[in-house]
Amino acid sequence: MTYLLFNVTSVEQSHVFENLFEMLNIGKVIVVGTHDEEEKIKALTQQWTVDYEIVWTASLVPDVLTTIVEQDHIQHAVILNPSERDAHYVEYCMTHDIDIVNNPTIQPEGLRFSVEVILEHRGRYLICQRHRDATVAPSIWNVPAGKVKFNEPIEAAMLRETKEETNLTLETVHYLGHLWINNKHQRLVFTYYAQVDDITSLKIDDEEFETYEWVTPQVLDQYSSLNPHIVTHIQQLGAGTHPSL
């Protein structure tokens, strides 16, 4: 399997790469780098046992990279030691149907990937209230969400969390965007959206949530604890003006 690999020069220890390649069963990597990193990238890649190709680019979204992605049918990528400065890498992958794989062994301590999904049923949107005695964010309103597991692709995590928290199986989903939350525990949150026609199998995880509601965009101001970026997404979805759709 071929993977895109970003931020190669952020890793000093060569054994990290071999562990990564083995854990993800990587057969070939496409390294994305800039010419000012050329010397270090070449020194690192000379030690690799997998096939690799280096794409030199001064800016993201080069035609040559997109051509390789299409020819090799690349579906996965790893961003080594991601930070907020890598937003353009994230956007490139997510807008080219390339799933970023979570590998915390090469991420800075404290950084984690999370997912959330906005579900719509007949013009109403699902929001859930966390338990009042929850250790993290008690009683706040949110949408189904959760952490991405070790070596788990982002979209796969979103589908898993949706199933665990709502018992719904999604068929068609849309990526809406991502948000960096920089606090004590840095978090990169990926937001998705899906329309659900049949909710007869809906079963909210009562260990996670106390209650839930299907709401219209017009009443969101009644839920003050709902994250502002979720409110914005729902309002844009309801108005048919979301820039990602």
Side-chain angles (χ1 to χ4, degrees):
M1 186 177 295
T2 302
Y3 276 67
L4 284 181
L5 202 57
F6 297 92
N7 280 0
V8 168
T9 57
S10 69
V11 177
E12 297 291 341
Q13 300 83 10
S14 59
H15 72 274
V16 169
F17 294 104
E18 293 302 328
N19 290 342
L20 172 67
F21 300 152
E22 182 178 356
M23 284 185 293
L24 296 180
N25 193 27
I26 295 176
K28 179 181 178 181
V29 292
I30 307 296
V31 179
V32 181
T34 58
H35 284 292
D36 60 340
E37 302 172 309
E38 185 169 352
E39 184 176 338
K40 188 172 182 180
I41 288 178
K42 287 183 175 180
L44 288 168
T45 56
Q46 285 175 358
Q47 304 175 55
W48 294 358
T49 58
V50 299
D51 293 334
Y52 66 88
E53 183 174 346
I54 304 173
V55 177
W56 303 111
T57 174
S59 61
L60 201 61
V61 199
D63 291 339
V64 63
L65 178 57
T66 301
T67 298
I68 291 173
V69 165
E70 294 174 351
Q71 289 178 347
D72 291 2
H73 306 290
I74 297 176
Q75 297 179 315
H76 300 296
V78 175
I79 301 176
L80 305 175
N81 294 327
S83 66
E84 194 164 2
R85 70 178 184 275
D86 301 316
H88 54 308
Y89 291 159
V90 174
E91 279 302 311
Y92 180 83
C93 291
M94 302 306 284
T95 55
H96 286 76
D97 295 323
I98 300 169
D99 220 352
I100 300 171
V101 177
N102 183 30
N103 196 294
T105 61
I106 50 176
Q107 292 178 6
E109 184 178 358
L111 186 131
R112 59 192 171 117
F113 289 170
S114 299
V115 290
E116 58 190 12
V117 59
I118 297 172
L119 301 177
E120 178 186 357
H121 175 66
R122 297 180 180 177
R124 293 177 177 268
Y125 300 84
L126 179 67
I127 60 173
C128 307
Q129 187 176 35
R130 290 177 56 79
H131 273 292
R132 68 190 69 183
D133 57 353
T135 303
V136 178
S139 297
I140 72 160
W141 287 91
N142 198 11
V143 294
K147 299 177 184 177
V148 181
K149 293 181 177 180
F150 177 55
N151 284 350
E152 185 177 34
I154 303 301
E155 187 168 311
M158 179 272 302
L159 295 173
R160 173 185 54 76
E161 286 289 349
T162 302
K163 183 66 176 178
E164 291 175 358
E165 296 190 356
T166 70
N167 198 42
L168 296 175
T169 301
L170 304 181
E171 296 182 0
T172 302
V173 297
H174 303 276
Y175 168 69
L176 297 184
H178 67 275
L179 177 70
W180 290 89
I181 299 179
N182 291 307
N183 47 30
K184 183 178 179 180
H185 300 289
Q186 293 188 45
R187 186 154 46 105
L188 176 55
V189 183
F190 296 86
T191 307
Y192 287 82
Y193 160 71
Q195 286 184 312
V196 183
D197 295 325
D198 184 1
I199 60 172
T200 55
S201 63
L202 177 70
K203 187 179 187 304
I204 297 298
D205 182 1
D206 56 11
E207 293 185 2
E208 185 85 15
F209 303 112
E210 283 195 10
T211 187
Y212 69 94
E213 294 184 16
W214 291 94
V215 299
T216 63
Q218 291 74 25
V219 301
L220 292 177
D221 58 353
Q222 299 177 23
Y223 303 87
S224 59
S225 62
L226 192 61
N227 195 301
H229 81 279
I230 293 294
V231 172
T232 299
H233 280 308
I234 292 177
Q235 289 174 337
Q236 292 176 336
L237 289 167
T241 59
H242 200 288
S244 298
L245 298 179

